[in-house]
Structure formats: structure tokens, C-alpha cells
Amino acid sequence: MPRSRRDFSVLRIPCTKPGCNRWFKNKSGYTQHTNAVHPLLGATPLHTEPSQFNRSPSPFFNGDDNPLQSDGAGEENHSEIPRSAQSPIPAEFFGAGDRLYRNYHPSLTGRPCDPEGNFLPPGALPLPLSEKSADDWTPYRDRLEFELADYIFTRNQTPAAQIDHLLDLWAASLIRAGADTSQVLFTDHRDVYRTIDNTPLGDVKWQSFSVKYTGDIPDEGPLPWMTESYDVWFRDPHQVVQNMLANPDYASEVDMRPYREFATETDERQWQDFMSGDWAWNQADQIAKDPATHGSTFVPVILGSDKTTVSVATGQNDYYPLYASIGNVRNNVRCAHRGALAVVGFLAMPKTTKQHAKTAIFRRFHRQLFHSSLSFILRNLKPGMTKPEVVRFGDGHYRRVIYGLGPYIADYEEQVLLACIVRSWCANKSLDDDNLLCKRVHTDTLIEECDHGKLWDEYGIIAQLVPFTNDYPRADIHELIAPDLLHQIIKGAFKDHLVAWVEKYLVATHGQAQADIILDDIDRRIAAAPAFSGLRRFPQGRNFKQWTGDDSKALMKVYLPALEGYVPTDIIRTFRALLEFCYLVRRNVITETSLNEIDDAVARFHQYREIFKDTEIVSTFSLPRQHSIKHYNTLIRLFGAPNGLCSSITESKHIKAVKEPWRRSSRYKALGQMLVTNQRLDKLTASRQDFYARGMLNGTSPGEHDDTGQHEPPVSSPPGEDENEDFDIIDDPTSVLAHVELAKTPQGTKRARSIPELSTELCIPDLADLVRCFLFEQSNPEDARDPTEVPLLEFPHYRGRISVFNSASSTFHAPSDLSGIGGMKREHIRACPLWRNECARNDCVFVITDSNARGMLGMDVARVMAFFSLRQHGRPIPCAVVRWFNRVGNAPDPDTGMWMVKPAFSAQNTPHFAIIHIDTIFRAAHLLPVFGTVPLSPSIKFHHVLDIFKLFYVNKFADHHAFEIAS
């Protein structure tokens, strides 16, 4: 009999403490919660009052066009709704074995309605997504024409002249064959572009407005920048957001309601996607004070902006894109873009002479131009922030929606601009006083009471600036600064601070000459890291000028062991604490236990970093980017897992939205051409989504051959890593949790075809006996005897042929890493005698040896010497020849936090080899040598180290999935 679904009504006991929205299944859970969260001697909660002040608009803009006029609608009231006024919180169990449950917001419930806004009864079916027929390819004649246009414009990015040449060749081939040239789908590139432009879907037109300085003119006359006009281009974000909500491509990956997620057995809360955070819930509480909003869907609009340079060689070509997303889509969708992140504007960047660039009036104009532009661009969203409007969603249903300004994705320089603060201050709190919070009500009060000089010097506030959020309800810019892992932690605290401080420490301790020798050896150690799937290598160490975010991420993975022997233990532990913090906050799901681990990592980081002050390398730790790690606990509780709001999302979008369109332009007045390119890309994407939703793109594309009728999960290359052939992104949410399979093609005559030949190739004399032992274990899985106790005569002989493979692929669930929308990732494990025509490569793997133990206690590390398959009883058996490593101790190394292993040897003091089934392999493992204090010889390369060194770290920092399983 199938298991009955648990009754939701079991969550029937509410917490009666003011402001607490937890519900419990029994009195025991309620009692534990009360003792832990609401102790008898707890502190009294502080309730802040609404602001009484409205800051004046800037003098830089004309009245009618000034988007800074405020009606006071943005003031907040943080008081809690009395529980007597709340309805019971709806809950729902989900996950394997109902292991999780969610409490949903009781008022903003995302109820479906009809196009007029009337709520539908439960279970009502949605209207069809499209009334078009299944063979309506408008504006294309058929699938082939659409696929060709999409291939030419999106996938291949074919220039206009090459499109014409291709079509001419097509026509010439038809003439030679005596066929009708009308079979050519397009006449020329103009025909292709015209057809794409005629697509009615995804059509949000670009608009522009101009801004000029309208303030006081100096007595000596206007400065050059004062007479210039600055153009801002934008698309209506209101329409863009509606298109996102209506996108059927990720309709099942949209959260309609704020919720709080808990583990069923422990009642431990966890945070993942944006709507699981407290900010969305608190916003819904404020919105729900108006009964007319009940049943609506809250739609937070997430913004992000970041300057980018498209070319340095041909002059400084800078652009300032503005991006928008919605908080309802889950993090995996936003990280994969999938139409849930769109460029909505290109902001102006005023330029002037060096003489005037640093003047206070120009800098103030530059900053206020930014805020006023944002306020103007977003103006069409404002009516929907207080009064619900009806919008169609990707599942076909209409719903009432209420918009709100959500977090802003920005690096530190952008955060300073957003929060209207002085550089080197924090947008959330004082750097040195955690009790001094930055909030709109506090800022407005200070501006009312203090002079501008005191505000600048003592509070870091630029009083003359007005944040764009002041024009919108329920918006406080100080509460909307998103955590930024890339710039705050990876490029900031790690690369710009700790790595630079180590160099200063070596110079201060050893002098410049000896420090240079040590740094050269550290670079050789970094370059000696063995190859690993997805690992960016540093052949010359760190000696290159242009660092990218990906370079800093790659250095984090291999830097720690390279330092050992040259710096004190406290420096090693400082790096370990920061790395562990970074990997913990990057998790796809963060629990209350994870938050405790994060707090512990922060405490250890603050403890051990004091060595840099004790050795006089630094004089202060009041550094905004490093200071930001204090806020992550709070920001995770507010916004969910930070990986959904990191600036790496917008930076990777630069490639498709800015850099590639610029390269396709003529370079002359390129912005207009870039806007057209973006619009055409959106139209093609919208068409593909529409055709998929109507089932018109099922099966193979025209011209593709599929003799088996089976399809591999869709695979894509990671952005910016096309040169890396060792891992793929799997865009298939239904893949299994983990699976290993051999490469599709064996090596044939290039490799051994029998066990004796393989024994000779690998220099393993007893390989035949290992195969016999392996086959005995495969045939007698219930035999409890140790194989060493079984007489050799009982082992079956194998004299058949074998097929040798140079690689295998491991597919596993790794949502914290760069992965597909379902969190799946595929990596390639190499075991080949010649890799890239340079050297042999034999990767290491995690082998599951005890499925009941956790982490490294349930796995062993082995090095794959060869992959091969043989046949037993008519069925193929995929297997691997491995050399085992033994764990050193029963716990990780206390300084680096990494497990240590050493090569295993048999009783005869020979390397311990074995044959294993590939199903026992979990995934690839990365080992880094324990270098000790001896300098590394320049002759030792990365492909030598696994053969030379006798002690290794199991690199848990190789990627985020490795951090989960090897900590």
C-alpha cells in the first residue's frame, strides 16, 4: 500500500511570543523552542519608529523631470502584527521522506485569479499558455527557418557579411544541383534580421532620456561638464519583470509565497532561495496591513549594476549596464540566467578633465545622476508597489502581484555610491562600533540635526545626496545591500588583503632578496598542483598582472599548502578560517548549524589575523571588505543563501549583454548596435521558450541524426571556461544523485587488449591475480571471507578480451558549484598514458568503502591507473585499476583543516593495487603535496608530484562539493 501523505494540520501549536511566527507539531517542540529562543531572562526587543523626515530633492535636475520628488510613501513601520490578527500559517511537507516542511506566509499566498483579478476556486485549471496552433511558427515559416536564424544570430554570432556569403553558397549549390533557389530560407542578412525583428514576443523597446546639470553656475562661468547632456538608455523594467513572471521555461522554479523552511525531525531552520529569507516575510507583513493585498504574490525586484570595460587595446570603452531580476525565481535559475536576469539599462558615465574630475561639485553631480537615473527608470513599477495588479505567470495562471525593491547586487565601490556614504565606511554599520546601525530613519535624523562636516567626518554620510530608494515604499538602501562574495571575500579579504600581507610579512622577516626567493618557491609550489577537473592552473605561479575573479577563486584552491614552512602557524590558520568561511557561505543550503560554523570561522579568522598586527604588517583591520564578513549571518537570514545574489552573476552576464554585442558592432557609436543585438537575442529566446511550451521543439533538430531515439541530458560548457574540457554543466534536473560511466569509445589497438598486455603496460606483475580476486568478489557478494583468506584456486580465471578507456565521467549533484538548473555537474576522470600530447595523467578518486560512515570516514582515496571493461557471464563489467592511499590519522590536520593521506603498500612493501567496480567511485579527488620546508626543484612539474611525494593533503578546497564531502 502506498504511504499516505502526512496531514498538514499537525502544525497546530503556535509560539505566542510577540514577533515569532513558528508553529509546532507537539508541546515538546514548543518547549524546546521557547527555552532556546525565548529564555525567561531574554532581552526586550527594540521597536523603531517611522522616520519623520523627507530629504529634499537634488538641485541638479529640473522640476517636472526630477524623479526625486518624494511623497513620503516609503516610510517603514517595523512593529509586529499581533498574533490575534494573523491567520494560521499554512505549512507543507516535501522532500524525500517528507524530511522538510515549510511555513508559508498566511496573507500573501499567491492565489490564482482570472484576468480581471477575481480569485479562482482551489484546483482551477489555468488557461492555455498560447492560443496559437502547434504548427504556427510566426514569424518563421517552419522549424528549420527558426533554427537557422537562432544558430546564425545566437549560437554562432555570424557577422552580416559571412551570413550573405553562406546564403550565396547555399544558393549556388542548389543551382548546381538543378534545384529551386527559393529553397534558400533567407535572401541575405537583412532578411534574417527583419524576420527576427518581426517577432512579437519579448519585445521591450529601448528608450532614452537626457540629463543636464541645473545647479548653480560659478561666477567665472560654467565648467565644461555643466553644459553637457548625458544620455541614459533603458527598457521599462515593469515590462521586463512581467516577461520574467510569464516565462514558462522556469515556471516550476518560481516561489509564489514567502516561506520559512525547517527540518521535520529537528525543527532546524534552513535558508536557500531568496523567498526563504526573513526580508521577504517581513515585507509581506508590511504589505498585508492593507487587506486589499491579501492573496497577492509579492514580487521583489532585484537590481545590480557594475561598470565594465570591453576593450583596452582600442581605447577605454566603458559601459555601465543595469540588470534586473526577481526574487521569486530560485537561485539556480538566476545563476544560470535562463531569462531570469536581464539588462534593463545603460547608465551615463559623465567625463570631464582631470582638473575638474575630483572637485566636490562634479563628484556630487556624478553620484546624484546615478540615483536620479535609477529612480526615473523604475518609476513604472511604483504604482504596483502599493496597489495589486494582475499579471500572467509561466504556469498559465493569472495572479495579483505587489512589487517591491529588493536587494541590490554591487561591489564595494558601487555600495558606497548606493548608500551615499564616504568611501572606507560600511553601508550597514560602523566599521568600529557594531552598535551603530545605518538605517534610513537614523540617517534622516542625523541629517536633520548635524552639519554636513560632522556627518562626513563622524558618520561617513554625504548629506547632499538622496538615495533613489527614498522615492519608493518600504525601501531602505541600507537594508538592501546584498552580500558580495566575489569582491568582498574572494578578491578583497583573500587576494587583496591576506595574499598581499603574506608578501609584506616575508619581506619584513627575511628582507627583499630572500623574500623574492621564497615567493618564487611558493609560485613553483602553486604551479605544481596536479591537474584536476575545473581547476585553473598557474604555470608561472602568481606572476601576472591582470587578475580576474576566476584567477582569485583558482588561487584559493591551491594556495594554503604552498605557504607551509614559510609562515607561522597562525597565518596558516588565518587562511584556513577565511577559506572555510567562504566555502560555508557559498553553500546552496545553509542551516542553523551552518550559521554556527560560519560564526566559528569568523571568530577564528579574527583571532588568528592578529599576527599581522603583532608583526606590524598592518596597523588596522577597519577595512570595509574584510569587515563585511561580520554581516553574513544576518544577511543570510534576510536574503537566503548568498550564492543567489553574488556579483559574479552580473559579471558573467556582462559577456552576453555587453562584451559580445560590442564585438559584433562596428565599434562606431557601438551602444545603439548593442541595444539592437540585445533586443534580437531576447526575441529569439522568447520564441524558443514559446515553441518549447507548445511542444514544437521536441525531438532532434532538423539536420541532426539520432539513430537510437535516446537523448543525453543537455550539456553546456561553463561560462568563460570553454578551454576546460574536464567538466560540463548538466541542464537536466532529473538526473540521478551520482553516477560514473566509462567513456563512449575504447582505445582499440592503441591500448592493451588483454589482461597480460595491460599488466605489462602498467608494470603490475600480479594484475591477473587481482582480476581473479575481483571477479570472485563480483560473483560471490554474500561471501563474508576476506579475499586474502580465500584459496587462489577458488578465484576464476579470465582469458577474454578487454577494452581500455582513457577516461570515465562522474555525474553528481553539486548545486553549490557551477552546475545546471537541477544542480547536476559532470566531471571527467582521466587515466591516460598521454594527455594533451604532453604527459601521462592518472587522476585520483574518492571510493566509497563504508556507506554507513560520513565524509572521509566512509571513503578512501585511490589513484586510477587504468579504466577497462571485461565480460563475465555475457555481461560487461566496467572497472578500474587503482592504487590505494591510506588516511593519516582519524581527523583532519589541525592547521590546514584538510585530511592527509599517503601511498599504501602491501605486506611485501610493494604498491597496493586493486581492481574495483566503477560504481564504487564517487567522484574525482584532488591531492596536494605536503611540501615541508625544502624548496621545490624547478625541474618538478605538476605531472610528477603524485609519483614523487610521500604525503598529501586531500584538497577539500578543490571545489564546493569536495568541501562538503572531505571536511
Side-chain angles (χ1 to χ4, degrees):
M1 175 181 292
R3 183 182 178 199
S4 60
R5 194 156 183 82
R6 210 171 295 189
D7 187 354
F8 298 166
S9 64
V10 294
L11 296 180
R12 56 183 180 271
I13 303 177
C15 177
T16 58
K17 299 297 182 181
C20 186
N21 293 318
R22 292 286 296 277
W23 285 65
F24 302 91
K25 297 174 290 184
N26 50 51
K27 290 184 178 180
S28 174
Y30 169 73
T31 302
Q32 292 178 12
H33 166 78
T34 302
N35 292 337
V37 181
H38 309 294
L40 185 61
L41 300 178
T44 303
L46 176 65
H47 297 284
T48 57
E49 295 299 325
S51 170
Q52 302 177 27
F53 307 107
N54 283 318
R55 295 161 70 177
S56 302
S58 165
F60 296 144
F61 300 87
N62 289 320
D64 293 340
D65 295 330
N66 187 0
L68 293 177
Q69 298 294 339
S70 175
D71 59 4
E75 307 305 341
E76 296 186 22
N77 188 334
H78 296 282
S79 59
E80 298 287 345
I81 303 175
R83 179 159 297 282
S84 59
Q86 294 184 3
S87 57
I89 299 176
E92 179 177 328
F93 288 91
F94 67 100
D98 288 346
R99 63 183 182 85
L100 299 172
Y101 71 89
R102 289 177 178 176
N103 287 344
Y104 287 98
H105 196 274
S107 301
L108 268 65
T109 55
R111 285 184 60 187
C113 64
D114 61 23
E116 285 71 42
N118 302 308
F119 289 124
L120 299 176
L125 296 176
L127 296 173
L129 285 172
S130 176
E131 297 180 355
K132 297 179 182 178
S133 65
D135 60 353
D136 185 353
W137 293 90
T138 304
Y140 307 96
R141 288 179 287 182
D142 51 29
R143 177 176 182 174
L144 181 59
E145 188 170 283
F146 165 71
E147 294 279 13
L148 179 60
D150 190 39
Y151 177 81
I152 286 174
F153 197 83
T154 305
R155 295 176 60 186
N156 199 55
Q157 302 181 22
T158 312
Q162 293 183 23
I163 295 175
D164 292 342
H165 184 60
L166 175 65
L167 295 173
D168 288 344
L169 290 175
W170 190 353
S173 67
L174 292 175
I175 293 173
R176 174 181 292 181
D180 185 1
T181 56
S182 64
Q183 294 181 34
V184 178
L185 300 182
F186 300 101
T187 57
D188 55 19
H189 73 274
R190 296 181 185 85
D191 191 15
V192 177
Y193 297 162
R194 189 183 310 111
T195 304
I196 298 172
D197 293 339
N198 288 335
T199 304
L201 302 172
D203 190 12
V204 183
K205 297 189 180 301
W206 286 93
Q207 309 172 54
S208 69
F209 61 89
S210 298
V211 182
K212 293 184 66 173
Y213 174 77
T214 59
D216 295 333
I217 302 296
D219 294 337
E220 60 273 18
L223 301 176
W225 60 267
M226 292 182 176
T227 59
E228 294 288 332
S229 179
Y230 303 96
D231 293 332
V232 177
W233 285 88
F234 72 101
R235 294 191 291 180
D236 185 359
H238 185 225
Q239 296 181 48
V240 172
V241 167
Q242 287 184 334
N243 286 347
M244 291 180 184
L245 293 172
N247 191 334
D249 193 33
Y250 48 76
S252 61
E253 299 284 339
V254 174
D255 292 315
M256 306 296 179
R257 299 171 283 175
Y259 63 90
R260 289 167 174 168
E261 191 167 273
F262 303 89
T264 303
E265 295 299 325
T266 62
D267 278 333
E268 181 183 40
R269 187 172 175 189
Q270 67 179 37
W271 292 263
Q272 182 173 3
D273 299 307
F274 182 78
M275 297 299 277
S276 68
D278 290 339
W279 183 87
W281 189 287
N282 296 338
Q283 287 280 302
D285 281 346
Q286 295 184 50
I287 294 168
K289 294 176 183 178
D290 180 1
T293 64
H294 290 192
S296 299
T297 298
F298 174 49
V299 179
V301 179
I302 297 172
L303 300 171
S305 58
D306 183 30
K307 300 182 184 71
T308 184
T309 300
V310 294
S311 174
V312 177
T314 58
Q316 196 74 9
N317 293 286
D318 296 330
Y319 293 95
Y320 202 167
L322 174 68
Y323 299 104
S325 182
I326 52 177
N328 308 80
V329 298
R330 294 170 187 162
N331 289 349
N332 57 344
V333 178
R334 189 177 304 109
C335 292
H337 298 161
R338 292 294 291 270
L341 181 70
V343 59
V344 294
F346 283 87
L347 304 176
M349 292 187 293
K351 302 287 179 67
T352 188
T353 60
K354 290 183 178 181
Q355 177 185 357
H356 303 115
K358 294 184 179 180
T359 59
I361 190 170
F362 175 76
R363 297 173 69 177
R364 192 160 64 246
F365 168 74
H366 193 175
R367 292 167 176 168
Q368 195 61 63
L369 170 61
F370 170 84
H371 284 279
S372 299
S373 298
L374 287 180
S375 186
F376 187 83
I377 290 170
L378 299 170
R379 70 193 189 284
N380 284 350
L381 285 168
K382 187 170 183 179
M385 293 181 179
T386 52
K387 181 180 179 181
E389 66 175 45
V390 178
V391 176
R392 192 167 197 187
F393 281 67
D395 62 358
H397 278 299
Y398 287 89
R399 290 178 178 85
R400 300 179 184 179
V401 302
I402 289 284
Y403 302 111
L405 290 185
Y408 203 109
I409 301 173
D411 61 18
Y412 177 69
E413 299 300 329
E414 203 85 352
Q415 291 176 5
V416 169
L417 178 60
L418 284 162
C420 302
I421 59 172
V422 178
R423 198 175 184 279
S424 296
W425 285 72
C426 175
N428 301 102
K429 290 185 179 181
S430 167
L431 292 182
D432 301 310
D433 185 358
D434 286 341
N435 295 316
L436 185 57
L437 293 173
C438 295
K439 286 184 174 290
R440 177 179 173 181
V441 60
H442 179 241
T443 300
D444 288 346
T445 303
L446 288 173
I447 290 174
E448 190 78 8
E449 299 294 332
C450 304
D451 62 69
H452 292 181
K454 184 176 182 180
L455 288 170
W456 180 286
D457 295 332
E458 297 185 17
Y459 297 99
I461 297 172
I462 304 176
Q464 300 94 329
L465 302 180
V466 185
F468 76 96
T469 51
N470 281 24
D471 292 339
Y472 293 90
R474 307 180 307 276
D476 182 345
I477 191 58
H478 300 291
E479 297 176 351
L480 296 178
I481 301 296
D484 180 18
L485 278 170
L486 178 62
H487 292 93
Q488 291 173 338
I489 310 303
I490 298 171
K491 296 176 74 172
F494 173 75
K495 194 266 176 183
D496 291 344
H497 295 164
L498 294 191
V499 173
W501 293 352
V502 164
E503 186 168 341
K504 291 180 180 179
Y505 169 82
L506 293 174
V507 171
T509 304
H510 302 283
Q512 186 66 59
Q514 185 61 28
D516 288 342
I517 295 173
I518 293 173
L519 288 170
D520 284 342
D521 189 54
I522 290 174
D523 284 340
R524 285 193 294 271
R525 293 178 173 188
I526 293 171
F532 181 72
S533 129
L535 180 67
R536 180 175 299 214
R537 295 191 56 257
F538 296 88
Q540 306 301 323
R542 301 165 298 115
N543 291 325
F544 52 94
K545 295 180 180 179
Q546 189 67 33
W547 277 82
T548 67
D550 287 336
D551 293 327
S552 297
K553 292 176 187 176
L555 184 63
M556 293 178 78
K557 300 177 180 182
V558 298
Y559 192 63
L560 190 56
L563 291 180
E564 273 201 304
Y566 288 123
V567 297
T569 300
D570 277 6
I571 291 182
I572 296 294
R573 293 186 173 186
T574 303
F575 274 93
R576 172 195 170 183
L578 184 66
L579 291 177
E580 289 180 344
F581 168 83
C582 183
Y583 280 66
L584 285 167
V585 298
R586 184 60 176 75
R587 282 178 173 171
N588 187 53
V589 177
I590 298 177
T591 65
E592 290 175 327
T593 299
S594 303
L595 289 179
N596 293 334
E597 294 172 348
I598 289 169
D599 289 342
D600 175 67
V602 172
R604 286 187 283 116
F605 174 71
H606 288 157
Q607 173 189 349
Y608 293 121
R609 72 176 178 178
E610 290 294 328
I611 189 173
F612 291 107
K613 188 179 287 187
D614 296 340
T615 55
E616 299 182 348
I617 302 304
V618 296
S619 58
T620 180
F621 294 124
S622 294
L623 305 166
R625 289 182 292 176
Q626 195 171 127
H627 159 86
S628 68
I629 70 174
K630 293 182 178 180
H631 302 317
Y632 273 74
N633 187 309
T634 300
L635 294 174
I636 289 167
R637 294 177 185 273
L638 287 174
F639 301 138
N643 65 347
L645 295 173
C646 181
S647 62
S648 59
I649 299 173
T650 53
E651 286 209 353
S652 63
K653 185 68 173 178
H654 287 339
I655 298 172
K656 295 295 183 184
V658 183
K659 296 184 178 182
E660 288 182 356
W662 181 84
R663 296 186 192 113
R664 297 169 68 165
S665 73
S666 68
R667 313 294 199 271
Y668 175 71
K669 294 185 177 180
L671 181 57
Q673 301 166 62
M674 294 161 60
L675 302 182
V676 172
T677 296
N678 272 287
Q679 191 158 357
R680 287 172 177 159
L681 289 171
D682 287 345
K683 286 174 175 285
L684 285 165
T685 299
S687 291
R688 181 168 289 278
Q689 291 164 354
D690 177 54
F691 297 151
Y692 263 125
R694 289 191 277 147
M696 298 164 63
L697 294 177
N698 296 333
T700 57
S701 300
E704 292 182 2
H705 299 286
D706 183 12
D707 298 329
T708 65
Q710 299 177 347
H711 303 280
E712 291 286 326
V715 176
S716 58
S717 297
E721 296 285 350
D722 291 339
E723 75 282 357
N724 194 325
E725 60 184 40
D726 283 334
F727 79 99
D728 305 309
I729 294 170
I730 309 299
D731 291 325
D732 180 11
T734 62
S735 295
V736 295
L737 187 62
H739 176 63
V740 178
E741 61 183 1
L742 296 176
K744 293 182 179 181
T745 306
Q747 289 303 299
T749 58
K750 296 179 181 179
R751 302 288 302 272
R753 300 299 303 276
S754 66
I755 295 299
E757 291 178 3
L758 186 61
S759 175
T760 302
E761 179 181 318
L762 299 179
C763 299
I764 304 176
D766 60 344
L767 183 64
D769 293 339
L770 297 178
V771 172
R772 294 176 65 188
C773 179
F774 168 74
L775 292 176
F776 175 83
E777 292 176 330
Q778 292 294 305
S779 302
N780 303 275
E782 304 300 327
D783 195 320
R785 291 178 294 174
D786 188 288
T788 58
E789 301 173 356
V790 181
L792 189 60
L793 292 176
E794 293 188 27
F795 291 165
H797 286 278
Y798 185 79
R799 297 183 176 87
R801 307 291 286 177
I802 64 172
S803 297
V804 179
F805 300 81
N806 279 349
S807 68
S809 63
S810 174
T811 303
F812 52 92
H813 190 244
S816 298
D817 284 300
L818 192 63
S819 55
I821 194 169
M824 300 305 295
K825 175 181 176 181
R826 176 185 296 160
E827 68 182 4
H828 299 277
I829 305 167
R830 310 286 176 179
C832 51
L834 189 63
W835 181 61
R836 291 182 174 175
N837 294 319
E838 292 181 2
C839 56
R841 175 171 169 180
N842 296 93
D843 291 344
C844 296
V845 293
F846 292 110
V847 181
I848 299 174
T849 50
D850 184 355
S851 58
N852 296 318
R854 291 177 58 86
M856 281 293 294
L857 296 178
M859 299 184 298
D860 284 321
V861 175
R863 188 180 183 192
V864 181
M865 310 312 295
F867 288 110
F868 70 99
S869 69
L870 48 78
R871 300 188 73 85
Q872 185 184 39
H873 306 307
R875 62 185 179 91
I877 302 178
C879 43
V881 184
V882 300
R883 180 180 181 182
W884 291 111
F885 287 81
N886 289 335
R887 285 193 300 272
V888 178
N890 293 317
D893 173 62
D895 296 332
T896 63
M898 291 185 282
W899 288 83
M900 301 172 73
V901 295
K902 60 182 180 180
F905 291 87
S906 63
Q908 294 77 27
N909 201 31
T910 57
H912 187 182
F913 293 104
I915 309 294
I916 62 172
H917 197 290
I918 67 167
D919 285 350
T920 62
I921 297 175
F922 187 12
R923 60 155 303 184
H926 191 226
L927 302 187
L928 290 171
V930 178
F931 291 103
T933 58
V934 180
L936 188 68
S937 169
S939 63
I940 296 177
K941 305 302 180 183
F942 72 95
H943 51 273
H944 296 143
V945 295
L946 291 175
D947 297 312
I948 293 176
F949 285 85
K950 305 303 180 185
L951 191 62
F952 299 88
Y953 290 116
V954 180
N955 186 11
K956 70 177 184 179
F957 302 114
D959 55 42
H960 295 280
H961 184 258
F963 183 80
E964 297 288 336
I965 66 175
S967 290

